[in-house]
Amino acid sequence: MDRLFNPFRYIAGTKSLVLGLIFMVSAVFLLYSAGMIQDGYLHIAPTDATIWSILLMQLLWWIVPALFYYVGGLLLSRSHIRIVDVLGTTAFAQLLLIPMIAPMLLPAVKNGMNTILQALQQSVQPAMGDMMAVMISGIVSALFIVLFFIWNYNAFATSCNVRGWKAVLYFVVVQLVVTFVGVLV
């Protein structure tokens, strides 16, 4: 269970950074294939953007929180903080975006979302099959979002050697700031 909730005790530095960048590139291709973009910290929306725009947004929503964590580590920790550890662990945490994006490529989910939106616009009851596909996808995504927050906190705490209420408070503030900024962008 420890490896599930905190893989950063076992992987950090350059290795996690390289794997994380591979995960992000994979997420970019999935988003592009699904016609979607991560236009906020944890918001994915339809788009006709180029693959380069999608890549830029993925990098933005990774690097901004990572730099905030690094600054927090410098402020809260007495340890020597390595930027490669912070960037690597937070990049590795991007792995959890893939299972949230992948269902959007499934015809049942993609068609279900479109059908539900059309039915709601026309004030018609959507088909039960469409509703089930979208609900299952939503439940799976919610579980991965929770794990995403756990991984990101553990990436911050482990790579910056911080613990306690100050670390948790700093992490929550960073999450709120990047989420709020994402709404404004």
Side-chain angles (χ1 to χ4, degrees):
M1 284 304 264
D2 188 46
R3 286 182 191 259
L4 173 65
F5 292 110
N6 191 1
F8 311 114
R9 292 184 184 179
Y10 310 97
I11 186 167
T14 305
K15 186 175 181 182
S16 64
L17 181 59
V18 169
L19 288 171
L21 291 173
I22 291 169
F23 299 150
M24 280 191 278
V25 168
S26 300
V28 166
F29 282 112
L30 286 173
L31 286 165
Y32 184 72
S33 298
M36 307 294 263
I37 190 167
Q38 184 178 347
D39 63 350
Y41 185 57
L42 283 177
H43 187 260
I44 297 171
T47 188
D48 58 356
T50 67
I51 196 163
W52 300 110
S53 298
I54 296 169
L55 176 64
L56 181 63
M57 292 301 282
Q58 284 302 111
L59 292 173
L60 174 76
W61 295 118
W62 157 63
I63 199 78
V64 169
L67 292 176
F68 276 123
Y69 299 150
Y70 180 70
V71 169
L74 294 174
L75 295 172
L76 298 173
S77 180
R78 295 176 190 227
S79 300
H80 173 69
I81 311 299
R82 295 183 336 150
I83 187 80
V84 70
D85 289 328
V86 177
L87 293 176
T89 56
T90 55
F92 191 89
Q94 302 296 307
L95 167 64
L96 296 174
L97 294 176
I98 293 172
M100 289 188 267
I101 298 166
M104 293 177 197
L105 293 170
L106 298 173
V109 173
K110 197 170 194 172
N111 293 337
M113 287 189 296
N114 290 335
T115 303
I116 290 170
L117 288 174
Q118 289 173 354
L120 291 173
Q121 288 172 349
Q122 299 169 358
S123 299
V124 178
Q125 179 67 31
M128 185 56 81
D130 295 329
M131 297 271 292
M132 289 302 290
V134 173
M135 283 177 30
I136 290 169
S137 173
I139 291 168
V140 169
S141 290
L143 293 173
F144 278 102
I145 286 172
V146 169
L147 192 55
F148 181 79
F149 282 119
I150 292 169
W151 272 27
N152 271 287
Y153 173 76
N154 285 329
F156 166 58
T158 302
S159 62
C160 294
N161 195 25
V162 294
R163 301 278 182 271
W165 70 270
K166 288 181 183 177
V168 171
L169 180 62
Y170 186 84
F171 177 78
V172 169
V173 168
V174 168
Q175 297 308 301
L176 292 173
V177 167
V178 295
T179 300
F180 181 72
V181 169
V183 171
L184 297 176
V185 172

